[in-house]
Amino acid sequence: MIYDQIVLRYGDLIMKGRNRNQFEKRMHRQVKNALTPFKGVTYWKTFGRLYVKLNGQPYEPIADRLKDLFGIISLSPVISSESELEAIRATAMTLMNSLKTPPKTFKVSVKRAWKGFPHQSQQMNHLVGAHILRAFPELSVDVRNPEVELKVDIQAEATYLFCEVIPAAGGFPFGSNGKAMLLLSGGIDSPVAGWLALRKGLELEAVHFHSYPFTSEQAKDKVVALAKRLSYFSGAPLKLHLVPFTEIQTTLAQAGQDNLIITLMRRAMLRITEGLAAKSGALGIVTGESLGQVASQTLPSMNVIGRAAQLPMLKPLIMMDKSEIIAMAEKIGTFQTSILPYEDCCTLFLPKSPSTNPNIRIVENVEAGIANLDTMIEDAINGTEHMFLSPRKTSSAQSTESSSEEDEWF
Ligand code: ATP
Ligand code: MG
């Protein structure tokens, strides 16, 4: 194991960003949480970057974990050297000797960030390159399309050498763009929407509506598993609200407006979500809707459904095709869980022909005709169970008060 550190790059985002300090703080917190399982691994920060000290650990599992964090553009395992010509040359040799498949072509790219270093970048390319060529007579330089690009980053405190640049998830660090509620159904789409929202730096609380005992315990387990997976990406626990929806659903099903059931249900879901959002301080509602996918996702349907909510609706998948969403679900590791067969509350009362063009006045009339709808919505909010999920541990809480577990992380 030749590498001693991993460098994490934020890109220019951090330089231009509104609140650089905040961004960096959140990033450090994320990295710290993600590194907890790797004993002995530490990190240190410098201007616009973060270095993880491997202290003898193999870099692969650590890089694998860190590349999934948001706000990081790319990362590289590096060998550090003293910022001095002969030391850099010797380290470059170590790196070239460590390559599993010896390349036929290479190039050296030196970046002299520390202007106190006596040789200029271009000169250094030659000084290091010539040294390597002497040791590997079969190797040649190809500046356009080399098999290996040996990068040398000369900083004041040390020089870092590496060949590999691993792309990371990008986006903003967890929580840097505020908090929103994620409507998490257990289907394919909403976990992907959640991942995209997290990537944009949104802190999420997930809301799931169940119609127990019509929906099974397994259906709930599935949502818990998906929420856990999302918490892996944020590197922080995710609060999951489990809303009892049976009473409202059965009442709406008896309203005698079969083709409007889904519209009515969705509107009730949004009202409940807003009630929960008010307690959490969330300022948006994220859903996995995609234009035209089902009857409730036509523009006229979304218009009527959306009017039940005051908060902005965030729909990351709205313009995506199903095949693109599935590919993303596979990439983030939620697909296999999402396709487990357990019933969702909305499929229970699925009408034969759900309206694709509901009429807002009729919908409002039906709602006005259900005497205790407001009370039922209030009851659902008050009867909601809360869980804190993380990839490592799970805890239940009866109230929306912040749990001590949250404090442990932040
Ligand atoms: P998904 O794959 O996310 O379930 P879908 O294509 O099946 O989406 P719908 O079932 O119409 O579409 O749901 C649209 C959106 O409404 C979902 O993406 C999700 O955000 C929300 N939603 C639906 N059912 C529930 C539920 N039981 N609990 C929480 N949110 C839900
Ligand atoms: Mg669904």
Side-chain angles (χ1 to χ4, degrees):
M1 229 289 294
I2 55 156
Y3 295 113
D4 61 332
Q5 303 198 60
I6 297 176
V7 59
L8 309 183
R9 302 181 192 88
Y10 310 148
D12 339 328
L13 200 63
I14 189 154
M15 308 302 171
K16 297 182 198 134
R18 305 145 292 178
N19 198 336
R20 198 177 140 232
N21 253 343
Q22 263 254 338
F23 184 108
E24 286 204 292
K25 256 198 213 137
R26 288 183 187 281
M27 179 58 84
H28 300 158
R29 210 184 281 159
Q30 259 188 188
V31 169
K32 186 171 168 220
N33 287 342
L35 289 177
T36 320
F38 301 100
K39 297 278 170 275
V41 175
T42 53
Y43 71 93
W44 63 281
K45 45 207 175 216
T46 175
F47 187 75
R49 283 143 183 248
L50 213 132
Y51 289 87
V52 172
K53 276 202 169 146
L54 296 168
N55 294 323
Q57 302 275 351
Y59 82 88
E60 292 90 343
I62 300 168
D64 250 12
R65 175 66 191 102
L66 295 172
K67 77 173 178 13
D68 286 334
L69 293 180
F70 300 119
I72 298 169
I73 304 271
S74 68
L75 42 92
S76 295
V78 301
I79 325 187
S80 15
S81 145
E82 202 185 314
S83 288
E84 186 275 320
L85 178 61
E86 288 315 318
I88 293 172
R89 281 175 150 176
T91 313
M93 285 298 297
T94 310
L95 189 51
M96 292 303 289
N97 275 317
S98 78
L99 298 175
K100 287 195 191 83
T101 21
K104 290 200 178 58
T105 60
F106 87 120
K107 89 172 188 188
V108 180
S109 301
V110 175
K111 200 179 87 192
R112 188 181 60 145
W114 174 46
K115 299 300 173 205
F117 189 77
H119 308 282
Q120 289 181 353
S121 304
Q122 199 48 37
Q123 203 182 354
M124 273 302 278
N125 287 339
H126 294 295
L127 288 170
V128 177
H131 185 72
I132 291 170
L133 284 173
R134 276 195 291 275
F136 296 90
E138 70 289 2
L139 195 62
S140 64
V141 174
D142 181 346
V143 286
R144 287 193 193 284
N145 191 21
E147 282 171 47
V148 165
E149 184 174 358
L150 171 60
K151 300 193 192 217
V152 180
D153 178 15
I154 305 175
Q155 302 279 347
E157 77 280 353
T159 293
Y160 305 97
L161 294 94
F162 57 97
C163 301
E164 208 182 335
V165 177
I166 303 167
F172 293 90
F174 177 68
S176 51
N177 274 324
K179 192 200 278 188
M181 308 303 276
L182 167 69
L183 292 187
L184 187 61
S185 70
I188 295 169
D189 305 330
S190 43
V192 176
W195 184 83
L196 284 166
L198 286 171
R199 192 171 75 154
K200 270 291 170 195
L202 281 173
E203 180 183 349
L204 294 179
E205 291 191 9
V207 183
H208 178 69
F209 296 84
H210 65 86
S211 288
Y212 194 77
F214 298 117
T215 53
S216 61
E217 199 61 32
Q218 286 105 311
K220 174 181 146 185
D221 293 346
K222 180 175 159 180
V223 172
V224 167
L226 291 170
K228 275 192 182 184
R229 183 66 185 154
L230 289 177
S231 79
Y232 159 81
F233 289 105
S234 61
L238 184 97
K239 189 169 181 176
L240 171 64
H241 303 263
L242 292 162
V243 185
F245 204 52
T246 321
E247 196 190 2
I248 292 178
Q249 216 176 359
T250 41
T251 306
L252 294 176
Q254 285 155 12
Q257 291 283 349
D258 256 20
N259 56 347
L260 289 179
I261 289 176
I262 301 285
T263 313
L264 294 162
M265 264 166 35
R266 290 275 185 264
R267 284 170 59 92
M269 283 182 177
L270 290 184
R271 293 212 179 98
I272 293 166
T273 304
E274 285 205 322
L276 296 168
K279 293 190 191 187
S280 308
L283 294 179
I285 300 174
V286 180
T287 76
E289 287 164 286
S290 179
L291 190 60
Q293 202 181 85
V294 289
S296 60
Q297 295 172 28
T298 60
L299 196 53
S301 277
M302 287 194 289
N303 174 34
V304 171
I305 293 166
R307 277 163 197 257
Q310 308 295 312
L311 289 176
M313 301 286 295
L314 306 173
K315 304 180 178 183
L317 311 182
I318 197 72
M319 301 302 179
M320 281 170 70
D321 283 351
K322 192 73 182 187
S323 58
E324 294 168 318
I325 300 170
I326 289 175
M328 218 170 224
E330 279 171 337
K331 202 180 110 206
I332 65 171
T334 54
F335 184 72
Q336 290 306 326
T337 310
S338 288
I339 58 172
L340 292 172
Y342 313 113
E343 288 282 278
D344 181 42
C345 71
C346 300
T347 46
L348 285 177
F349 298 90
L350 203 63
K352 277 192 202 72
S353 59
S355 173
T356 54
N357 186 14
N359 180 308
I360 182 76
R361 272 181 304 277
I362 298 176
V363 168
E364 283 173 351
N365 275 338
V366 175
E367 285 173 348
I370 303 171
N372 50 352
L373 186 59
D374 289 349
T375 320
M376 283 192 291
I377 285 177
E378 209 42 52
D379 289 347
I381 294 169
N382 294 328
T384 293
E385 268 182 86
H386 312 279
M387 298 174 88
F388 285 94
L389 300 169
S390 78
R392 277 179 286 150
K393 48 192 171 182
T394 306
S395 84
S396 298
Q398 289 312 308
S399 73
T400 47
E401 307 308 315
S402 79
S403 85
S404 58
E405 195 168 318
E406 246 181 344
D407 301 333
E408 209 180 292
W409 285 70
F410 297 110

